[in-house]
């Protein structure tokens, strides 16, 4: 990075729409000279708007000329500080989407005194101007990157301040706590206790509970972001790979039906009704004979333990109910959480026409019967996966999904532990005050009340240019 984010006096510009040619492109300009620069390059089609007093919050049609030559007809919307995304005067120019026009327009803005924005610099200014705190700014990047309904919901919630509100509340409680202790320090000669020790301990316990709740939501947040882990288990040759392919290709077909959507890498993640499911690479997923029977059993169970949901696949032409029940018992015995959802899948129903009798004894099982090879009933699996997770339950609570926030919460938790221990050991109030400051510091790094350039660079550097 060539320039510090901390210099926000320049007027900056960038192409905010996606790279390449589109029908329309959006060029943004923000800073003290945004309107001045706009007035130099833009001729509104209605005369009264060209007198210098620019009309804000209105879409204005007009022309952009370079050295007297028309470059493009555009729509301009301008927002006056502080009522803009960045908190400064901000101009958005919608031009035609040719790469040539976009480049010429940017060069024109630069030759009139703007400079090219760094990644995330518009959002950085929003942060500097108090439009949003740091965790909200991070959520903007997450919102742009979100690729499923759940990750979208989580980012949106954080952007709207749900998480910041929680952190600010915790900080406020700690500040109150600190002020009581400080008061005691002021009157230390007189040996008074302003802060009732029991009340303080309760307060600490409450704060710690809240912090721990947030910390424990992190694994959930990660799962939501990366996909709910699903493992496919079963004996060799029951059709696990065929099933995975069937599941993935269904998704592929669905996605490619929507114009303009492409997916570079399908990998083993699929999106069902807005929720990402990530298929864990149990050995059985790949074409090998490693499965529960033949591979390092420990490794398979490790994978099954990582999964939230296990699909147990069996070949209906080659199994008895007892065998299935034994396999289930064996799996449950090995799982850390024996109540984990295991979905039974009876595969190869297409073989029934040849030998319908083999199936009779299985019909009472609570299983989904499919033909992976013929792609039959695969949608039933999707339904069962969705039933197993219940989206609303997952997204109603405040979820921490950002590693930086998680680490700050961990450190805050350590400081809270130190304060509690300090009380128990009867440590003097002035030392306790230091631990409280530490806890406040860690919580403050989440919202950006406490920050440094390195943190800012790493956060805003993740953004695209123009946001
Ligand atoms: P895995 O070892 O469990 O991964 O099993 P595979 O997916 O490799 O399948 C083993 C064999 O069963 C292959 O020959 C598949 O073509 C076949 N197979 C898989 N699914 C079906 C199915 O639904 N019906 C039939 N008739 N054969 C299937």
């Amino acid at each position: 990075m060539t320039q510090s984010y901390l210099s926000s006096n320049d007027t900056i510009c960038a192409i905010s729409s996606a790279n390449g040619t589109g029908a329309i492109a959006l060029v943004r300009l923000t800073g003290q000279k945004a309107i001045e620069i706009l007035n130099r390059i833009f001729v509104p089609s209605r005369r009264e708007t060209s007198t210098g007093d620019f009309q804000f919050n209105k879409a204005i049609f007009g022309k952009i000329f370079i050295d007297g030559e028309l470059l493009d007809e555009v729509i301009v919307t301008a927002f006056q500080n502080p009522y803009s995304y960045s908190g400064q005067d901000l101009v958005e120019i919608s031009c035609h989407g040719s790469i040539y026009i976009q480049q010429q327009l940017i060069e024109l803005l630069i030759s009139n005194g703007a400079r090219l924005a760094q990644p995330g610099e518009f959002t950085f200014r929003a942060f500097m101007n108090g439009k949003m705190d740091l965790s909200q700014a991070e959520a903007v990047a997450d919102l742009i990157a979100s690729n499923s309904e759940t990750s979208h919901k989580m980012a949106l919630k954080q952007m709207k301040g749900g998480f910041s509100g929680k952190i600010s509340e915790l900080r406020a409680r700690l500040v109150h706590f600190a002020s009581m202790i400080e008061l005691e320090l002021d009157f230390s000669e007189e040996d008074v206790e302003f802060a009732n020790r029991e009340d303080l301990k309760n307060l600490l316990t409450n704060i710690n509970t809240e912090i721990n709740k947030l910390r424990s939501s992190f694994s959930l947040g990660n799962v939501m972001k990366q996909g709910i882990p699903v493992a496919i288990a079963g004996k060799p040759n029951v059709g696990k790979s065929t099933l995975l392919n069937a599941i993935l290709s269904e998704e592929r077909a669905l996605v490619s039906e929507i114009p303009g959507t492409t997916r570079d890498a399908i990998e083993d993640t699929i999106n069902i009704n807005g929720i990402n499911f990530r298929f864990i690479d149990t050995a059985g997923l790949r074409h090998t004979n490693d499965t529960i029977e033949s591979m390092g059993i420990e490794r398979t169970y490790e994978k099954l333990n990582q999964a939230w949901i296990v699909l147990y696949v069996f070949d209906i032409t080659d199994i008895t109910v007892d065998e299935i029940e034994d396999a289930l018992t064996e799996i449950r015995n090995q799982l850390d959480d024996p109540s984990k959802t295991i979905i039974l899948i009876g595969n190869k129903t297409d073989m029934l026409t040849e030998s319908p009798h083999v199936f009779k004894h299985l019909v009472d099982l609570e299983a989904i019967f499919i033909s992976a090879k013929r792609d039959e009933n695969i949608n039933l699996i999707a339904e069962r996966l969705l039933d197993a997770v219940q989206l609303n339950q997952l997204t109603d609570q405040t979820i921490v999904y950002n590693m930086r926030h998680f680490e700050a919460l961990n450190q805050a938790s350590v400081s809270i532990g130190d304060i509690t221990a300090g009380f128990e050991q009867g440590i003097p109030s002035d030392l306790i005050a230091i631990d409280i400051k530490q806890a406040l510091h860690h919580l403050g790094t989440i919202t950006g009340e406490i920050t440094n350039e390195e943190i800012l660079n790493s956060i805003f550097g993740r953004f695209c240019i123009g946001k």
Side-chain angles (χ1 to χ4, degrees):
M1 201 153 301
T2 53
Q3 202 138 8
S4 159
Y5 274 104
L6 296 175
S7 64
S8 62
N9 291 330
D10 309 350
T11 298
I12 51 170
C13 64
I15 299 165
S16 288
S17 40
N19 270 342
T21 307
I24 286 171
L26 187 81
V27 169
R28 273 171 141 191
L29 179 69
T30 197
Q32 287 166 0
K33 291 192 181 156
I35 301 301
E36 187 187 316
I37 294 173
L38 176 70
N39 277 332
R40 260 189 256 147
I41 64 157
F42 175 63
V43 183
S45 63
R46 285 168 60 122
R47 287 217 156 249
E48 63 266 34
T49 52
S50 64
T51 53
D53 266 347
F54 200 86
Q55 295 200 7
F56 292 99
N57 306 322
K58 264 196 173 161
I60 297 172
F61 176 72
K63 295 185 172 75
I64 288 183
F65 292 92
I66 296 181
D67 298 332
E69 284 229 23
L70 180 66
L71 174 69
D72 197 9
E73 295 189 327
V74 300
I75 300 276
V76 167
T77 37
F79 306 90
Q80 190 169 25
N81 76 81
Y83 307 110
S84 71
Y85 178 75
S86 63
Q88 303 176 316
D89 285 350
L90 187 145
V91 171
E92 292 186 348
I93 304 172
S94 304
C95 60
H96 289 100
S98 100
I99 290 174
Y100 176 76
I101 293 176
Q102 297 179 39
Q103 281 169 350
Q104 289 291 305
L105 184 50
I106 287 291
E107 276 177 29
L108 185 64
L109 292 172
I110 290 172
S111 64
N112 277 279
R115 76 161 160 81
L116 203 56
Q118 296 175 68
E121 202 170 0
F122 289 84
T123 308
F124 172 73
R125 293 196 175 185
F127 165 65
M128 288 306 279
N129 291 315
K131 286 272 157 185
M132 57 180 81
D133 70 26
L134 205 52
S135 81
Q136 288 172 304
E138 288 170 294
V140 172
D142 294 329
L143 185 70
I144 293 171
S146 65
N147 62 359
S148 70
E149 188 181 342
T150 30
S151 55
H152 169 256
K153 270 195 178 169
M154 285 195 305
L156 206 57
K157 197 167 177 186
Q158 183 167 316
M159 195 177 80
K160 281 166 38 189
F163 178 52
S164 309
K166 270 247 151 59
I167 297 298
S168 303
E169 189 191 309
L170 290 177
R171 274 198 104 216
R173 282 201 240 167
L174 267 177
V175 167
H176 173 70
F177 187 99
S179 64
M180 305 285 261
I181 297 284
E182 300 274 341
L183 211 57
E184 280 180 15
L185 289 177
D186 290 347
F187 290 86
S188 54
E189 310 280 288
E190 290 153 51
D191 197 25
V192 281
E193 261 188 21
F194 285 92
N196 177 308
R197 287 292 178 269
E198 273 315 300
D199 287 352
L200 286 186
K201 271 184 202 160
N202 286 341
L203 185 60
L204 278 181
T205 313
N206 285 343
I207 292 173
N208 214 22
T209 310
E210 286 296 324
I211 289 182
N212 283 339
K213 231 195 260 172
L214 290 173
R215 285 168 67 210
S216 64
S217 75
F218 181 67
S219 57
L220 180 65
N222 253 355
V223 160
M224 297 282 82
K225 209 168 166 184
Q226 287 164 13
I228 292 167
V230 180
I232 304 184
K235 290 203 282 186
N237 287 324
V238 293
K240 297 181 295 296
S241 320
T242 314
L243 171 61
L244 179 66
N245 280 336
I247 293 174
L248 293 180
S249 62
E250 193 147 295
E251 146 94 347
R252 214 168 298 168
L254 252 182
V255 170
S256 60
E257 274 169 21
I258 309 165
T261 55
T262 49
R263 291 187 64 171
D264 306 334
I266 297 280
E267 294 181 5
D268 289 340
T269 302
I270 63 164
N271 183 304
I272 305 172
N273 282 11
I275 302 182
N276 282 340
F277 290 87
R278 180 168 50 86
F279 285 84
I280 295 185
D281 189 9
T282 70
L285 284 176
R286 303 283 170 236
H287 237 292
T288 71
N289 284 337
D290 290 272
T291 52
I292 295 184
E293 276 71 30
S294 56
M295 74 171 289
I297 299 214
E298 219 168 274
R299 250 194 68 214
T300 303
Y301 282 120
E302 211 174 277
K303 304 267 184 191
L304 295 187
N305 268 321
Q306 286 166 15
W308 276 30
I309 300 167
V310 175
L311 304 182
Y312 183 77
V313 187
F314 56 88
D315 178 344
I316 59 166
T317 66
D318 182 27
I319 198 149
T320 66
V321 173
D322 284 348
E323 280 176 302
I324 294 172
E325 279 169 358
D326 287 349
L328 278 183
T329 311
E330 196 191 323
I331 292 177
R332 290 216 187 273
N333 282 342
Q334 297 291 330
L335 290 177
D336 299 337
D337 170 14
S339 67
K340 184 170 286 186
T341 304
I342 301 177
I343 301 174
L344 286 181
I345 296 177
N347 188 29
K348 309 197 184 179
T349 51
D350 53 289
M351 305 277 275
L352 284 185
T353 42
E354 291 159 35
S355 42
H357 58 279
V358 300
F359 184 56
K360 268 206 190 112
H361 63 289
L362 296 175
V363 287
D364 289 337
L365 277 177
E366 222 184 282
I368 299 172
F369 293 99
I370 64 162
S371 167
K373 199 173 179 175
R374 295 221 188 132
D375 222 347
E376 280 164 12
N377 282 349
I378 306 297
N379 56 326
L380 297 182
I381 299 177
E383 280 170 25
R384 283 289 286 278
L385 287 174
L386 282 177
D387 282 351
V389 292
Q390 293 174 337
L391 174 66
N392 287 339
Q393 224 178 314
L394 297 180
T395 47
D396 274 357
Q397 54 172 305
T398 301
I399 294 174
V400 178
Y401 60 85
N402 179 307
M403 189 63 166
R404 194 182 73 79
H405 301 169
F406 178 62
E407 278 171 0
L409 286 168
N410 286 343
Q411 286 175 319
S413 174
V414 170
S415 304
I416 300 278
D418 289 344
I419 305 171
T420 313
F423 269 136
E424 272 158 20
Q425 293 155 16
I427 280 173
S429 302
D430 49 348
L431 292 181
I432 288 183
I434 294 175
D435 289 331
I436 299 175
K437 284 208 179 96
Q438 272 300 316
L440 284 171
H441 170 91
H442 294 309
L443 293 177
T445 59
I446 294 176
T447 46
E449 274 135 332
I450 312 248
T451 192
N452 63 41
E453 194 167 353
E454 195 186 335
I455 296 181
L456 293 179
N457 280 338
S458 86
I459 289 174
F460 289 96
R462 283 197 305 136
F463 275 80
C464 28
I465 289 185
K467 188 60 203 171

